[in-house]
Amino acid sequence: MKISIERGALLRAVAQAQSVVERRNTIPILANVLIEAEGDAVRFRATDLDIEVVDRAPATVERAGGTTVSAVTFHEIVRKLPDGALVTLADDAATGRLSVSAGRSHFTLATLPKEDFPVMASSEYTANFAAPAPVLRRLFDKSRFAISTEETRYYLNGVYMHVAEGEEGPALRCVATDGHRLARIDAPLPAGAEEMPGVIVPRKTVGELRKLLDDDDTEIAVSVSETKVRFATPDITLTSKVIDGTFPDYARVIPQNNTRRLEVDATDFARAVDRVATVSSERSRAVKMTMEDDRLILSVNAPDAGAAEDELPVAYQDERLEIGFNAKYLQEIAGQVDRENAVFLFNTSGDPTLMREGDDTSAIYVVMPMRV
């Protein structure tokens, strides 16, 4: 194999591939990226056996072929080469080395045979549809903060993507929860997604997928089966196993009868929570909200650190209410609001609280209170 490729295109392709590679590996080949050159392009493939990413980049191919090389080392070398450099990759199968040359820089890297590289088995997908990158970005960005990190409840370690009946007809819905807070985000159902099985997309896959969604003009081809999900752009294909488990019936925890309504500027609210939380104890980080007559008082009383209080003008006309929350949860939920105002709907101080953006019901959040 011998190819020439522009450094910028090479760096983009290798960066996406190497981020999938696990740093600690018991199987040496999994630390490598598979480089395959043919026609007028080169493909970079990396996997951790649960996720596979294939990145395609244009290149001048003098000699077709393939090899595998340490993903992290290769990425570091390419990253440190000068901008605009023309990089030449040449594989010498006899010595088991890959030479990397750019200008006066020259590197020789150890390789492993490409035949040993595990390629994820292709599978039949029950649903194939296309969705604009901004739609998927909103679905996953607004829900991913609520993914559980508790390994024992593995079925909560991802975002549940499924077809549901929304306020305005069938919707593509993403839900995540860790038992303390929940995010439920809807988007209009794309054509072809009607038969999609509900799948739990793992946390790591959500993080890798996010890198595909930065370009607003990109259409993402989505394919879903009971065991796998695939997201593809013209240059990158991300395939992942889904979490094998049953997502809980989240509709049961979304309150329907919360009538006490508080409307507040989301940015001011998040900043005020951040200010008063400065003195809260690290362990509980509890913040008390006291509401009455268009006033909201946020307060923290930490015996070992001190006390803090902040007052905000709000729209609240119901009877006085005192309720406590984890400060981090409040900040994360307020940080999801794109519009100016966040609307909180309360019942009692012991019941879950609902939050949404203005009157928009396509994105709702639930947070459990705590005793203060």
Side-chain angles (χ1 to χ4, degrees):
M1 179 188 78
K2 187 175 183 184
I3 62 166
S4 301
I5 182 170
E6 194 271 322
R7 180 252 181 197
L10 179 60
L11 181 61
R12 271 194 304 278
V14 175
Q16 177 82 35
Q18 70 91 32
S19 65
V20 172
V21 172
E22 288 290 341
R23 292 292 181 268
R24 290 188 300 277
N25 262 317
T26 50
I27 308 169
I29 194 90
L30 291 183
N32 282 17
V33 58
L34 171 63
I35 306 169
E36 297 172 299
E38 61 178 322
D40 58 355
V42 59
R43 282 200 312 272
F44 298 90
R45 188 187 297 263
T47 184
D48 66 357
L49 297 181
D50 290 326
I51 305 174
E52 179 186 76
V53 67
V54 182
D55 218 313
R56 188 177 174 282
T60 306
V61 180
E62 286 182 44
R63 203 167 58 241
T67 188
T68 80
V69 66
S70 165
V72 175
T73 310
F74 187 48
H75 174 250
E76 281 297 295
I77 288 171
V78 176
R79 190 175 64 80
K80 291 171 183 176
L81 291 175
D83 269 346
L86 186 67
V87 184
T88 303
L89 306 178
D91 172 43
D92 185 343
T95 58
R97 292 285 183 267
L98 176 76
S99 72
V100 182
S101 308
R104 296 183 181 181
S105 306
H106 186 78
F107 303 85
T108 309
L109 298 176
T111 63
L112 288 171
K114 65 177 183 179
E115 292 76 22
D116 296 348
F117 195 86
V119 174
M120 197 176 265
S122 58
S123 59
E124 290 292 313
Y125 292 100
T126 38
N128 296 281
F129 60 93
V135 170
L136 289 176
R137 188 168 65 217
R138 175 179 173 273
L139 283 171
F140 285 99
D141 271 4
K142 286 181 172 295
S143 55
R144 63 192 287 194
F145 75 92
I147 296 174
S148 173
T149 52
E150 225 177 288
E151 297 301 327
T152 50
R153 302 166 81 187
Y154 64 93
Y155 49 85
L156 298 181
N157 293 163
V159 172
Y160 181 42
M161 181 172 75
H162 60 296
V163 178
E165 196 58 43
E167 298 274 323
E168 296 170 10
L172 179 62
R173 177 175 289 175
C174 281
V175 179
T177 181
D178 64 358
H180 304 290
R181 62 252 164 100
L182 176 143
R184 192 199 79 188
I185 319 297
D186 286 357
L189 189 67
E194 299 81 10
E195 299 301 312
M196 182 184 98
V199 291
I200 306 170
V201 184
R203 185 194 312 111
K204 183 175 174 181
T205 307
V206 172
E208 292 302 323
L209 169 64
R210 185 61 189 80
K211 298 169 191 169
L212 273 64
L213 305 178
D214 282 330
D215 185 355
D216 282 0
D217 300 327
T218 308
E219 278 277 311
I220 309 290
V222 185
S223 305
V224 185
S225 75
E226 295 280 356
T227 56
K228 285 201 187 104
V229 62
R230 187 176 72 199
F231 301 92
T233 70
D235 294 328
I236 303 171
T237 303
L238 174 69
T239 310
S240 170
K241 292 179 183 174
V242 299
I243 292 174
D244 182 15
T246 306
F247 201 80
D249 178 10
Y250 60 87
R252 287 210 328 256
V253 301
I254 297 175
Q256 304 297 328
N257 304 313
N258 286 13
T259 52
R260 298 180 182 183
R261 178 188 166 106
L262 165 80
E263 191 161 344
V264 59
D265 182 294
T267 310
D268 290 349
F269 176 75
R271 285 176 181 160
V273 171
D274 190 30
R275 282 195 295 271
V276 297
T278 312
V279 298
S280 67
S281 69
E282 248 336 286
R283 198 171 55 80
S284 69
R285 289 183 62 77
V287 170
K288 183 163 81 171
M289 294 170 65
T290 307
M291 292 151 275
E292 63 178 332
D293 303 334
D294 289 340
R295 287 192 320 152
L296 166 65
I297 296 170
L298 293 162
S299 58
V300 167
N301 192 358
D304 50 345
E309 191 172 292
D310 215 309
E311 187 175 318
L312 289 173
V314 296
Y316 182 80
Q317 295 295 328
D318 286 286
E319 59 199 66
R320 175 185 165 92
L321 176 66
E322 287 189 1
I323 189 167
F325 293 103
N326 180 307
K328 179 166 163 272
Y329 298 167
L330 284 182
Q331 284 170 281
E332 284 180 337
I333 283 179
Q336 304 307 317
V337 178
D338 297 327
R339 307 177 184 192
E340 281 189 6
N341 286 355
V343 172
F344 287 87
L345 295 166
F346 302 95
N347 187 18
T348 70
S349 61
D351 291 320
T353 294
L354 190 82
M355 196 280 278
R356 61 175 193 238
E357 305 177 39
D359 292 320
D360 178 14
T361 54
S362 72
I364 64 168
Y365 307 92
V366 179
V367 61
M368 298 297 289
M370 61 190 293
R371 276 205 290 277
V372 286

